[in-house]
Structures are given as structure tokens and as C-alpha cells.
Amino acid sequence: MPRKADHLARRKQLADALMRLAASQGLEAVSLRHVAAEAGVSTGMVQHYFRTKDEMMTFALDMVMSNAQERITAEAGAGQPLGPAELIRTLMIQILPLDETRRLEGHVSLAFLAYAAVKPAIGDGLRDSSGQMRAFLADQIRAVQATSDNAPRTDPLHAATALLALVDGLGIHVLGRHYSGEEAVAALDAYLGLLFGSTPDPAGAPATSGG
Amino acid sequence: MPRKADHLARRKQLADALMRLAASQGLEAVSLRHVAAEAGVSTGMVQHYFRTKDEMMTFALDMVMSNAQERITAEAGAGQPLGPAELIRTLMIQILPLDETRRLEGHVSLAFLAYAAVKPAIGDGLRDSSGQMRAFLADQIRAVQATSDNAPRTDPLHAATALLALVDGLGIHVLGRHYSGEEAVAALDAYLGLLFGSTPDPAGAPATSGG
DNA sequence: ACGATTACATTGCAGTCGTATTGCAAAGGG
DNA sequence: CCCTTTGCAATACGACTGCAATGTAATCGT
């Protein structure tokens, strides 16, 4: 093989440029030329690594999702083992756009969400990971209910569905500057307090900053 | 004045065409020519009623928001006066995309949400109405808490924030076909059950259909 | 009746889009 | 050595975009 190049690394670099663009100017500003310029390369190179624009978009979306998944599962396994209640809160906090990095990723996700509404093939991956997350959360909620007698007997799957929708909604409102990240965390804690039948105990290091 | 024409009606008609396009093919498919074709008129006419594309987009967004507001407040005042708990549920149900009409409007809203993330001027109106809704919901929640001794003492504003985020998140998931409208309603009722400290009583006619 | 004004249609323009094509330098295998 | 494959650049093409300019028909005030 002549003139080796790290294909995957190049693609990630280009996808990074794409995400920067999408976050600052929306997906409508994402074109081959713009991505190339943002990455500081020629448009021909972008074409070399992605034969079509759709391939580029799909790769970028996959990257966003796998990044998020990775960070979430990493956070879940880090530190000392947490009880299910603390674990749930930790995970949900990770989803909220509380720092600039996650604000950026949130914008990209939102853009892709609207994109997926039109191109159904794009949304399949989203559906899968959302479903897995929902099932996992339901399990954790079940665990909390099993070990607590204060916790109301809410259907765990419904509660998980609501929880995921809640953090997604909170994230969107924070992105839209409807309120700060702290208020979103407070609303989340209010829900968790209801769900676990206790005064919320945000012992785990609370979020640092909000928009 | 020569050759009168109902300016506002024409604009609404064009905005309708825009919304149809946005719902079926996303905001990226919205162009002056496409809107004109969808409305069955010439592109020149579109230009006559909207001097710029941005003016058209802004008008359409305003229309979506005022439509939603109108339908919601209409629903709130219709029928016999409801207690605060039933009122809240009725309003939230109105927001969910449970029928084809609201699915369409939901798609448009989602598209505009992503659009507003980039063009801050667009998002101002959204912020306002969201803030009003939140305050109103907080009042209603306070009223429920005042008349019920089962209801946990959750901060009403936080609960309202969570409630609004919850239905928005549920709506997005339903639009993304993550689950059906019925499941979204069930998750909503689960949350309301927690919030009001009672087994949910979905006496008000439940949603008709789901995606 | 007539000029002014409004309502629309048509056309043209400069620019951007995704993509296909072409070209060329670099490098490993025969 | 040479030749083929790969990495990347440059460019051309047709379709599309928002918008400006221009034209024409209808209507009202006078």
C-alpha cells in the first residue's frame, strides 16, 4: 500500500470541523466546502474521505452518539460504585449541556434531531440508543424502589421514559437560553425527589456552571 | 388604494405552504420557489408579500406559536371549568403530538427550535411564551398543593419547569418515533401522579392515537 | 379619462451547492 | 526501475439559491 494515511483519524478530524460548524451556525451551514475550510484542508480531501455528503453526515452523527455513550458509560463506572439513585442522577447530569463542550454537542444533537425527523434512516441509531438507555434507567429505578420504602410505586418504565424526556427537554430549554443550567439541575432534582420519595440529596458534586 | 388584497390572509396562506414543506422535508427544503410551488403561486408573489426570506420565516414562526397559544388557551377555557390538576393535564396533552395535525406542527416547531439555536433573534418569542407558560403552570401546581394533602411539597416552579421540559421531551421522542403517543401520555400521567401524590386519574378523554 | 399605485409574473444575476472529472506527487511491490 | 495504487488538489458542471429588476394588468382617487 502506498502513501498510508490514518483514514479513521482524518475522518474524525473532518467530523470535528463539521461539529464546530453545526454548533455555531447550524446544520444548514454544513457544506463540503465549509467543512473543508473549517478543517483547513481542500474540498477534494473531504471528498476523498467521504464519497458523499450524506456519508459525512452519518459518520458525524455516529461520532456524536458514540462520544456521548462513551462519556456516559465512563462516568457510570468511574469513582466508587454508586447506588442506583446516585448513578441515575450522575448519568442525567452528564446529558445536560452544563459546560461549553456539552453545549456544543447539544447544539449538534439538536440539529441532527431535526435532521432525523426528515431522513428516517438517520434516526434509527438514535432510536436504538434511546431505547437501551430507557431500559437501563428502568432497571435502576426498579432497584431503587426495591430498596426503599419511601419511593412511590410508579411504573419503572414510565418513570424512565419520563426521566429521559425530562432531561432532553431541559437540555433543549437550556440551549435555547430559557433558563440556566442550575435551574435545569434543580428541576431534575425536583423530579428525582418525587420519584425516590425523599428530599433530594444532591451530594454528588453538583454541576459547575450554566449558560 | 388600487387592487386591494387581503395581505394578512395571503401571508398566512404562504406560511401554511411553508409549514407543510417544513413538516415533510425539513426547513432546509424551504426556499422561495418551493414555497411558491407548494402554495400554487409564482415566486414573484411570495417576494411581494415577504420582502426577504427571513421575514417569511419569522412570520411563519410567529404563526406557529400564536396558533399553539390560541389552541391551548381555547382548550383551557372550553367545557366546564376544570380543577387545576385536570387543567394541567389537559394543557400538557394539547402540547403532545398525538394526532397528525400536531405531529406536523411539532415537526415545524422542532425545525424552528434548531433554527433558533443559531439565529438568537428568532428564539426571543419562544423564550417569552415558554416563561409565561412556566409561571402559569407553577400557579396551578401551587393551587393543587394548597387543596391536597397528598401532594408532596415540591417547589412549584421547579415542578413546572420539569413538567414543561417533560412534555417537550416526550413530544420530541414521539416525533422521532422512539415510542408511541400512548406511551408518552402514560409517562406524563406517571409524572403527574408523582407530582399530585395520587394514583393517576386520566378521566379526561385520553389521547386518540399515537404515531 | 388618467395618473398613480398596487398586485402579481417573468427574467436575470451572482453565488453556492453536491458531485464527477482530471491531474499529479508520493510510496510500496514486482 | 517502473508501475500501480493511494492521497490529495483543482476545476468544471448543472442545479439550485435569494434577490433585484422589469414588465404588465388591474383598480382606485381625482
Side-chain angles (χ1 to χ4, degrees):
Chain A
M1 275 194 186
R3 207 151 175 229
K4 61 152 189 172
D6 189 338
H7 227 77
L8 188 68
R10 291 288 199 195
R11 285 163 80 100
K12 283 187 179 179
Q13 164 192 356
L14 293 176
D16 265 343
L18 189 157
M19 283 174 52
R20 258 174 282 142
L21 273 180
S24 62
Q25 287 153 258
L27 270 195
E28 317 201 36
V30 171
S31 73
L32 297 186
R33 290 169 237 270
H34 278 162
V35 170
E38 173 73 27
V41 301
S42 75
T43 74
M45 170 167 160
V46 178
Q47 281 196 107
H48 182 68
Y49 286 101
F50 299 107
R51 281 177 309 188
T52 169
K53 183 187 180 182
D54 220 73
E55 189 180 318
M56 180 175 72
M57 302 290 262
T58 305
F59 180 85
L61 175 58
D62 283 350
M63 197 177 125
V64 169
M65 288 196 309
S66 69
N67 274 0
Q69 192 87 21
E70 189 178 342
R71 198 181 46 232
I72 285 178
T73 58
E75 191 70 17
Q80 72 283 8
L82 300 171
E86 291 83 5
L87 176 59
I88 287 176
R89 184 174 188 274
T90 303
L91 294 183
M92 295 301 101
I93 292 276
Q94 279 295 314
I95 294 180
L96 290 175
L98 297 176
D99 57 27
E100 209 47 45
T101 301
R102 301 216 290 293
R103 254 194 106 80
L104 195 133
E105 288 198 13
H107 271 126
V108 177
S109 301
L110 179 56
F112 272 114
L113 210 60
Y115 192 67
V118 167
K119 298 200 136 195
I122 294 281
D124 288 346
L126 288 173
R127 247 183 302 275
D128 285 354
S129 66
S130 161
Q132 284 177 247
M133 187 60 148
R134 217 148 56 93
F136 177 79
L137 286 177
D139 279 346
Q140 299 304 309
I141 291 172
R142 233 183 305 270
V144 173
Q145 289 180 350
T147 61
S148 163
D149 41 358
N150 291 3
R153 302 229 178 290
T154 310
D155 180 293
L157 188 54
H158 288 163
T161 302
L163 182 54
L164 212 49
L166 171 64
V167 287
D168 280 354
L170 287 173
I172 283 177
H173 289 164
V174 170
L175 285 179
R177 313 245 179 214
H178 294 177
Y179 37 76
S180 72
E182 281 88 357
E183 289 188 76
V185 173
L188 169 63
D189 282 330
Y191 174 73
L192 292 180
L194 287 173
L195 183 59
F196 297 151
S198 63
T199 58
D201 180 39
T208 57
S209 87
Chain B
M1 273 191 188
R3 206 147 177 231
K4 59 149 193 175
D6 190 338
H7 228 76
L8 188 68
R10 290 288 199 196
R11 285 163 79 102
K12 282 188 180 178
Q13 165 192 356
L14 293 176
D16 264 344
L18 189 158
M19 283 173 52
R20 257 174 282 142
L21 274 180
S24 63
Q25 288 153 257
L27 270 194
E28 318 201 36
V30 171
S31 73
L32 298 185
R33 289 161 174 82
H34 277 163
V35 170
E38 174 74 27
V41 301
S42 75
T43 75
M45 170 165 162
V46 177
Q47 283 193 253
H48 182 69
Y49 285 102
F50 299 106
R51 281 177 309 187
T52 168
K53 183 188 180 181
D54 220 72
E55 187 180 319
M56 180 175 72
M57 302 289 262
T58 304
F59 180 85
L61 175 58
D62 284 350
M63 197 176 127
V64 170
M65 288 197 308
S66 69
N67 274 0
Q69 192 86 23
E70 188 178 345
R71 198 182 44 235
I72 285 178
T73 57
E75 192 71 15
Q80 70 283 9
L82 299 170
E86 291 84 4
L87 175 58
I88 287 175
R89 183 175 188 276
T90 303
L91 294 183
M92 296 300 100
I93 292 276
Q94 279 294 315
I95 295 180
L96 290 175
L98 298 175
D99 57 27
E100 209 47 48
T101 301
R102 300 217 291 292
R103 254 196 106 80
L104 195 131
E105 289 198 11
H107 271 126
V108 177
S109 301
L110 179 56
F112 271 115
L113 210 59
Y115 192 67
V118 168
K119 298 200 140 198
I122 296 281
D124 289 347
L126 288 172
R127 248 184 301 274
D128 286 356
S129 67
S130 162
Q132 284 176 246
M133 187 60 147
R134 217 149 55 93
F136 177 79
L137 287 177
D139 279 347
Q140 299 304 309
I141 291 172
R142 231 183 306 270
V144 173
Q145 289 179 350
T147 62
S148 163
D149 40 359
N150 291 4
R153 301 233 176 288
T154 310
D155 179 294
L157 188 54
H158 289 162
T161 302
L163 182 54
L164 212 49
L166 171 65
V167 288
D168 280 353
L170 287 172
I172 284 177
H173 289 166
V174 170
L175 285 179
R177 314 245 177 211
H178 294 178
Y179 36 76
S180 72
E182 281 87 358
E183 289 188 76
V185 172
L188 169 62
D189 282 330
Y191 173 73
L192 293 179
L194 288 173
L195 183 58
F196 298 150
S198 63
T199 60
D201 180 39
T208 57
S209 89

